[in-house]
Amino acid sequence: MNIVILSRNSNLYSTQRLVEEGENRGHLMEVIDPLKCDIIIEKEKPTVYYKDRYLDYVDAIIPRIGASVTFFGCAVVRQFEMMNVFTSVTSDAIIRSRDKLRSFQRLSKAGIGMPKTVFTNYSRDIEQVLSHVGGTPVIIKLLEGTQGLGVVLAETKNAAESVLEAFNGLQARALVQEFIAEAKGADLRALVVDGHVVGAMKRQGKEGEFRSNLHRGGSAKVVKLSEAELRVAMNAARALKLPICGVDMLQSSRGPLLLEVNSTPGLEGIEAATGKNIAKSIITYIERNRH
């Protein structure tokens, strides 16, 4: 097959691993920067033009679209969908998962446990908002944040007020979420491919840091998920229609709580922690499902 990875940087670990595993299985792999594509829309002949050629020979795409380029990146994915090219994750599913509020609404409807969360439209009544999530400390998250950026732990009412006022002043929308103290700065990341968990790790924030993202200096080790944790990961992937995703959960006294679902999860941390060949699982998923 001709498989295109839509990625802005061909040197990223995840992109390189997908190329390597695709080539190992006899596919022609190509990395294309979605921002350098032109989308040509005409009656019955949608095409994508890149550098000096039409991409009309592509059998499947693997979108690795960063959060900052969601709009145009997803337009390129959608164009390939119009050309009947198989995509490992659809444009609609990426857009759904990038909107934290929209995905939380869908996930809570699907009966998935999550920390109590409040979203208000620049509310002045901060006391009321805090009482909805059981008082301070609280976590305040920008709707658009990624890799732990735009996530703040407010330990007191005054701190929460200052943070919310600052975000409101910047016209930045934020969620207020209860703080799960018993998680002790650790979370679980489950990698789902084709509806099954293919690897899981426990990430621990560095001393004094409540965010466990590896980009923030956290560490990771392989972990065996409980039945309940496996169920949350698979149900979350199903609810957001994401055949490939990273599902982040906290271990709480009331069972696993979903933190977020990432539609383009990095492979480096999880392959290193688990020793599993996750890039190969993604390639074989495409082989099985491309009709």
Side-chain angles (χ1 to χ4, degrees):
M1 279 193 280
N2 290 313
I3 301 179
V4 160
I5 300 170
L6 293 174
S7 168
R8 305 227 34 223
N9 182 350
S10 56
N11 298 321
L12 290 176
Y13 176 91
S14 305
T15 306
Q16 285 185 335
R17 286 286 297 116
L18 289 162
V19 167
E20 198 179 317
E21 290 303 327
E23 287 174 347
N24 285 350
R25 295 186 64 81
H27 303 298
L28 283 169
M29 304 297 292
E30 193 177 355
V31 179
I32 280 177
D33 180 346
L35 293 196
K36 296 197 174 139
C37 290
D38 293 331
I39 295 171
I40 300 169
I41 300 170
E42 60 179 315
K43 185 181 174 189
E44 290 175 3
K45 193 172 169 274
T47 45
V48 176
Y49 188 77
Y50 177 74
K51 289 195 171 159
D52 53 1
R53 62 191 185 282
Y54 292 99
L55 302 181
D56 51 10
Y57 53 84
V58 179
D59 298 307
I61 59 169
I62 304 175
R64 303 281 314 166
I65 307 286
S68 59
V69 297
T70 301
F71 177 81
F72 192 80
C74 286
V76 172
V77 175
R78 196 179 309 116
Q79 187 76 349
F80 277 111
E81 290 166 358
M82 299 300 136
M83 293 156 62
N84 295 319
V85 172
F86 178 79
T87 175
S88 59
V89 182
T90 66
S91 55
D92 282 351
I94 297 170
I95 290 167
R96 248 199 315 272
S97 70
R98 286 283 153 81
D99 182 336
K100 286 197 180 89
L101 181 61
R102 186 175 172 187
S103 55
F104 273 6
Q105 288 171 312
R106 287 182 77 100
L107 293 161
S108 72
K109 172 94 168 56
I112 292 166
M114 51 186 76
K116 269 193 198 154
T117 303
V118 178
F119 176 70
T120 71
N121 195 32
Y122 308 131
S123 167
R124 295 279 166 266
D125 190 354
I126 293 188
E127 220 156 293
Q128 187 61 55
V129 172
L130 297 178
S131 74
H132 285 312
V133 296
T136 52
V138 293
I139 300 287
I140 302 172
K141 286 184 178 176
L142 283 180
L143 277 184
E144 298 290 315
T146 170
Q147 295 178 353
L149 299 169
V151 180
V152 179
L153 168 62
E155 304 207 21
T156 62
K157 179 172 160 283
N158 284 351
E161 276 181 354
S162 335
V163 171
L164 284 170
E165 278 168 13
F167 282 168
N168 289 350
L170 295 167
Q171 297 282 293
R173 296 182 177 280
L175 297 169
V176 179
Q177 212 168 52
E178 75 174 303
F179 177 60
I180 308 297
E182 62 269 28
K184 297 190 173 62
D187 71 6
L188 303 174
R189 156 69 59 102
L191 219 119
V192 176
V193 177
D194 206 5
H196 300 284
V197 174
V198 293
M201 60 179 171
K202 183 168 189 167
R203 302 183 297 188
Q204 179 70 54
K206 58 177 194 257
E207 191 61 39
E209 169 63 85
F210 71 96
R211 296 168 295 188
S212 58
N213 306 60
L214 300 181
H215 294 271
R216 315 228 64 75
S219 58
K221 62 174 199 278
V222 65
V223 69
K224 190 174 184 332
L225 297 183
S226 68
E227 281 299 313
E229 288 156 358
L230 286 168
R231 249 197 326 274
V232 166
M234 295 189 294
N235 289 347
R238 194 176 311 123
L240 295 180
K241 297 191 167 68
L242 284 168
I244 298 169
C245 59
V247 180
D248 295 344
M249 296 169 277
L250 291 177
Q251 293 173 304
S252 84
S253 51
R254 55 179 197 268
L257 299 178
L258 186 119
L259 265 185
E260 75 176 297
V261 182
N262 186 324
S263 55
T264 45
L267 303 182
E268 188 166 11
I270 194 134
E271 284 198 339
T274 61
K276 297 257 178 78
N277 189 338
I278 289 169
K280 182 180 174 189
S281 314
I282 293 172
I283 300 293
T284 54
Y285 159 72
I286 292 171
E287 293 169 353
R288 279 197 305 276
N289 290 276
R290 183 191 161 258
H291 304 304

